[in-house]
Amino acid sequence: MTHQTVYVVDFGGQYTQLIVRRVREFGVYSEMIPWTEAASRIQAHRPSAVILSGGPRSVLEAGAPTIDMDVLKGIPILGICYGQQLMALLLGGRVEKASLKEYGHRTLVPNPEVPSSLIAGMANDQVWMSHGDQVLSAPPGFVVSASTDSCPIAAFENPSANQFGVQFHPEVTHTPDGKTVLKGFLFDHAKLKADWTSESFIDEQVDSIRQTVGAGKVLCAVSGGVDSSVMAALLIKAIGERAVCVFVDHGLLRLHEADQVKETFLDHFHANLKVFDAQEQFFGALAGVTEPERKRKIIGENFVKVFEDHASELKECDFLAQGTLYPDVIESGSPTAAKIKTHHNVGGLPDWMTMKLIEPLRWLFKDEVREVGRRLGLPEEMVEREPFPGPGLGVRILGEVTRERVRMTQESDWIFRSELKERGLNKGIWQSYAGLLDVKTVGVMGDERTYEQPVVLRAVQSEDAMTARAVNIPFEVLEAIASRIVNEVHGVNRVFYDLTSKPPATIELE
Ligand code: XMP
């Protein structure tokens, strides 16, 4: 890539990824690198600026994570929390264990004698602190630019050497105007250009895909989800019909989603889309099966079988596209690791599918993927689609998965989600769906008793799916939705709303 790059050196801080995202939000390309690889990567690539992250250790401990300041010579540096303390220590200042750990909001007081461009422009004096050590004396050449009542050196700087440090966390939203600090560093001091945009990403990736693929073909499985849709749209832009897009229609998507995939890729993008209608196969294989893990396994195996059955058409592909995102790259530990993502729901891939991998989204965070999708002209419903499990409605229908039970689930789900959307209540929801329970309940309709199935509605807020809370939907809205579902969805006579958080529950039903 030809961008100016900011390396964020990770010392194990909980907010390191967030620093990378903030920098990118300013239109500056940024990557996270582990401290153990910092020296070699900085020497090899000479980034335009370096940010040293926070971290859980003490710089005073033997063997604490560190960095070779010599390799940073001439590169603008911003140290945050542990990063600031490390700069202090390595550049000749002093660090001590604070008498009390400081955690939470503090009021930042700028030093009136040192008008710092990073601090002076802050429109809000609240900052977020989370540290045990603190800087006792700034290194030679540095001035103290701000303090708090409990932290005498909350910010220091040596502007002529382009070196800055802050004890607080400008990257978190708890520091309401932290962006002024980051912006001042990136633009006023490191003199960066904002050249990282979705257009520039698309242009570069199109070039790079064309170079890598040459005259070859790329197999791209499309699931209807955001990542695979954006990846397919990008490949189509780069290599047209040599992007062989495959959509396995297993019948377990939400209402209208399969049609939308077909319409978008066939009508709008004129893609080389192969739709494998495997509904019979999936419903056949799932008939009579109620045990959750077996259902998952059957769904995974049948995906593989569909690809096996069409092997002759697909074997001509030289590459397999995979929707790896930047957080996966970071988690896999190495920026060059290209492992096939193994989902617990996919039972491996056929041998012939272990072709060369290409991962055109591996530099992007999810919100950047969405932005690229918009630029490429994908419909908003696709770009904003919620996370959806690989086994689809299979994990939202308790008990046997039949066409009839899928219909009830799809129709109830459609009513629930359209009602939320119409009322503007869908914003901020991580996932929302209707699932089907595996019991029958009694009801009365007209003069007759009914003995039918209940649906459960689930809507959760979450940051990362690791924890989640039920969304507080107004009672009247739930009541209106329940009434519509029992009146309009044949076979459903009762509606529950799931109030459980995760943990102890999970987001999906099984
Ligand atoms: P749970 O239900 O474990 O879900 O709280 C956490 C997140 O993972 C998704 N999920 C799955 N995704 N295959 C997938 O690809 C699965 O079998 C599966 N189960 C859960 C779920 O939708 C949520 O976003």
Side-chain angles (χ1 to χ4, degrees):
M1 257 181 245
T2 55
H3 293 286
Q4 294 184 319
T5 299
V6 175
Y7 277 167
V8 177
V9 179
D10 179 29
F11 293 108
Q14 55 178 325
Y15 307 127
T16 313
Q17 268 198 45
L18 200 53
I19 304 174
V20 176
R21 296 181 61 161
R22 294 282 176 261
V23 173
R24 291 191 185 189
E25 279 163 18
F26 289 122
V28 175
Y29 182 66
S30 177
E31 277 182 31
M32 174 165 151
I33 59 172
W35 68 273
T36 45
E37 290 175 20
S40 58
R41 294 191 55 192
I42 290 169
Q43 260 166 341
H45 301 291
R46 299 303 293 171
S48 308
V50 166
I51 298 179
L52 307 177
S53 84
R57 303 274 298 271
S58 163
V59 294
L60 302 170
E61 281 171 28
T66 189
I67 193 163
D68 178 357
M69 289 307 280
D70 283 345
V71 303
L72 290 172
K73 276 217 176 88
I75 300 175
I77 312 171
L78 171 66
I80 295 176
C81 194
Y82 183 95
Q84 183 212 28
Q85 295 156 12
L86 195 62
M87 281 170 79
L89 195 71
L90 298 175
L91 295 171
R94 282 169 61 207
V95 177
E96 63 167 359
K97 198 152 210 57
S99 48
L100 277 180
K101 280 198 171 179
E102 200 178 29
Y103 183 79
H105 280 117
R106 290 292 182 277
T107 302
L108 193 70
V109 183
N111 178 352
E113 287 159 27
V114 180
S116 157
S117 67
L118 298 200
I119 305 290
M122 286 176 76
N124 188 309
D125 60 6
Q126 293 303 294
V127 294
W128 185 256
M129 292 286 197
S130 172
H131 62 113
D133 293 346
Q134 66 179 21
V135 178
L136 185 64
S137 65
F142 279 69
V143 288
V144 176
S145 49
S147 55
T148 70
D149 55 3
S150 49
C151 177
I153 306 187
F156 64 30
E157 62 184 45
N158 180 354
S160 59
N162 254 334
Q163 293 175 335
F164 305 83
V166 288
Q167 180 57 71
F168 59 90
H169 287 273
E171 70 278 20
V172 301
T173 49
H174 302 301
T175 299
D177 195 21
K179 60 180 180 304
T180 293
V181 175
L182 295 172
K183 219 167 146 183
F185 170 69
L186 297 173
F187 298 111
D188 299 343
H189 296 283
K191 308 278 183 217
L192 290 158
K193 290 194 300 264
D195 60 3
W196 168 251
T197 60
S198 46
E199 288 101 315
S200 67
F201 173 82
I202 293 169
D203 290 346
E204 281 174 18
Q205 279 312 304
V206 164
D207 283 349
S208 150
I209 292 167
R210 285 180 184 156
Q211 269 190 20
T212 311
V213 173
K217 291 188 175 177
V218 181
L219 173 55
C220 178
V222 181
S223 69
V226 183
D227 305 343
S228 68
S229 303
V230 174
M231 191 169 67
L234 190 58
L235 284 166
I236 294 164
K237 187 173 171 77
I239 54 171
E241 59 186 30
R242 285 185 294 115
V244 181
C245 302
V246 171
F247 173 55
V248 177
D249 189 356
H250 50 29
L252 300 173
L253 289 185
R254 303 179 116 138
L255 200 62
H256 306 313
E257 283 187 349
D259 291 336
Q260 192 178 40
V261 170
K262 292 178 223 168
E263 262 168 44
T264 304
F265 286 99
L266 288 175
D267 303 345
H268 182 63
F269 286 108
H270 307 294
N272 177 5
L273 177 72
K274 295 177 189 289
V275 179
F276 297 147
D277 182 350
Q279 295 200 17
E280 289 292 332
Q281 178 184 323
F282 276 80
F283 285 117
L286 287 166
V289 182
T290 54
E291 208 264 306
E293 280 316 304
R294 252 187 70 62
K295 279 158 57 177
R296 262 201 168 78
K297 197 152 181 283
I298 287 174
I299 294 170
E301 285 168 359
N302 276 276
F303 263 112
V304 176
K305 193 166 175 304
V306 174
F307 282 100
E308 286 286 21
D309 291 346
H310 293 85
S312 56
E313 295 168 68
L314 303 175
K315 269 185 182 162
E316 56 179 27
C317 292
D318 314 274
F319 294 85
L320 177 67
Q322 167 151 279
T324 312
L325 302 192
Y326 193 52
D328 307 324
V329 174
I330 295 175
E331 273 156 35
S332 74
S334 157
T336 48
K339 294 194 197 109
I340 296 208
K341 218 173 168 182
T342 40
H343 267 309
H344 45 291
N345 53 296
V346 177
L349 294 172
D351 283 349
W352 58 266
M353 273 181 77
T354 49
M355 336 152 157
K356 283 172 270 178
L357 281 186
I358 61 167
E359 303 174 302
L361 305 180
R362 69 193 324 271
W363 292 275
L364 304 185
F365 288 107
K366 191 83 174 188
D367 43 356
E368 294 173 320
V369 173
R370 294 202 157 99
E371 199 41 48
V372 167
R374 282 190 191 98
R375 277 278 152 211
L376 289 167
L378 284 172
E380 196 56 26
E381 305 92 88
M382 238 176 192
V383 168
E384 275 305 325
R385 202 156 274 174
E386 292 172 358
F388 187 71
L393 298 181
V395 294
R396 295 181 177 173
I397 295 177
L398 303 191
E400 190 183 4
V401 180
T402 63
R403 280 187 189 272
E404 181 58 3
R405 301 192 80 218
V406 167
R407 177 196 59 77
M408 287 186 231
T409 311
Q410 285 179 331
E411 289 175 8
S412 306
D413 183 80
W414 179 259
I415 293 173
F416 178 36
R417 291 164 29 92
S418 353
E419 288 285 334
L420 290 181
K421 196 166 170 201
E422 261 162 43
R423 293 172 157 88
L425 295 171
N426 57 331
K427 298 192 182 71
I429 291 185
W430 173 266
Q431 275 174 269
S432 55
Y433 68 87
L436 197 63
L437 299 183
D438 191 23
V439 288
K440 282 194 168 180
T441 59
V442 77
V444 56
M445 263 196 175
D447 293 332
E448 285 190 28
R449 278 167 84 78
T450 58
Y451 195 52
E452 294 179 327
Q453 308 199 22
V455 296
V456 59
L457 306 180
R458 182 123 172 92
V460 295
Q461 289 162 333
S462 175
E463 292 286 321
D464 51 12
M466 302 297 284
T467 60
R469 268 190 85 183
V471 177
N472 184 356
I473 299 173
F475 179 76
E476 306 72 48
V477 177
L478 286 172
E479 202 177 27
I481 293 169
S483 163
R484 268 199 67 189
I485 291 176
V486 292
N487 279 292
E488 295 174 33
V489 184
H490 184 70
V492 173
N493 71 347
R494 219 174 263 256
V495 176
F496 298 113
Y497 185 60
D498 187 346
L499 293 172
T500 342
S501 59
K502 173 182 178 176
T506 54
I507 296 176
E508 302 297 344
L509 288 184
E510 62 176 33

